[in-house]
Amino acid sequence: MFKHNLITALRGMRNQKMQTIILVSGMALGLTACFWMAHWLLHEFHYERIHENADRIFRVELEMHNPEGISLGAATPTPLAPLLKQEYPEVLDAARLHQFAETTMHFRDHSFSEDHIMAADPSILSMFTFTPIYGALNTALQTENSVVITES
């Protein structure tokens, strides 16, 4: 029975080549779009879920109105974090992050260039769950030029 149906389907595809091409390419395009959306949704719903208090961590975004339209960004004024903590009792803690451009780092007699350097408030280490490979979380970021390095 299966062999008979398969032969009939293949014979029909051979006789109607253009319709077969349209149907197969449409199905391939639809499946590709479906898999891409599922991958994107999984990424969005699992973003930063590795941290213990992920359900209580929020990110403030800036909405900028331009002639081209509205754009969103994570860059906010520096005094915003302490102000949110002071004005809203729901905000238990706040941290500011600042990403630097490419920076030359010096360690002992070695110099190297790094482009993923972030400056942060010390409170960020209590808000997020980090496993350092260099530096101690309880004393990190308490003095100038202190550092914590994670695997990623």
Side-chain angles (χ1 to χ4, degrees), residues 39-50:
H39 176 71
W40 179 76
L41 282 171
L42 283 172
H43 179 267
E44 287 297 312
F45 284 119
H46 289 93
Y47 185 74
E48 296 294 342
R49 295 289 172 214
I50 61 169

Side-chain angles (χ1 to χ4, degrees), residues 10-122:
L10 290 174
R11 196 174 294 149
M13 283 191 256
R14 186 181 62 210
N15 292 337
Q16 299 175 352
K17 290 182 175 112
M18 189 53 119
Q19 183 180 3
T20 302
I21 290 171
I22 292 171
L23 289 175
V24 169
S25 61
M27 186 186 318
L29 186 64
L31 284 173
T32 301
C34 210
F35 285 132
W36 181 81
M37 284 187 278
H39 176 71
W40 179 76
L41 282 171
L42 283 172
H43 179 267
E44 287 297 312
F45 284 119
H46 289 93
Y47 185 74
E48 296 294 342
R49 295 289 172 214
I50 61 169
H51 300 291
E52 289 177 12
N53 298 322
D55 59 331
R56 296 173 40 199
I57 298 173
F58 296 91
R59 177 178 167 171
V60 176
E61 289 193 346
L62 180 66
E63 184 178 288
M64 295 171 282
H65 296 265
N66 303 322
E68 299 86 30
I70 298 173
S71 61
L72 298 175
T76 56
T78 304
L80 183 63
L83 184 68
L84 286 174
K85 195 172 172 183
Q86 175 186 342
E87 296 291 323
Y88 296 96
E90 302 90 16
V91 177
L92 301 176
D93 212 344
R96 297 169 291 188
L97 291 171
H98 178 74
Q99 185 169 5
F100 291 101
E102 189 172 332
T103 307
T104 302
M105 307 293 290
H106 305 282
F107 181 70
R108 296 186 183 137
D109 58 344
H110 300 286
S111 294
F112 55 94
S113 183
E114 184 65 47
D115 60 347
H116 296 291
I117 299 291
M118 302 282 289
D121 289 329

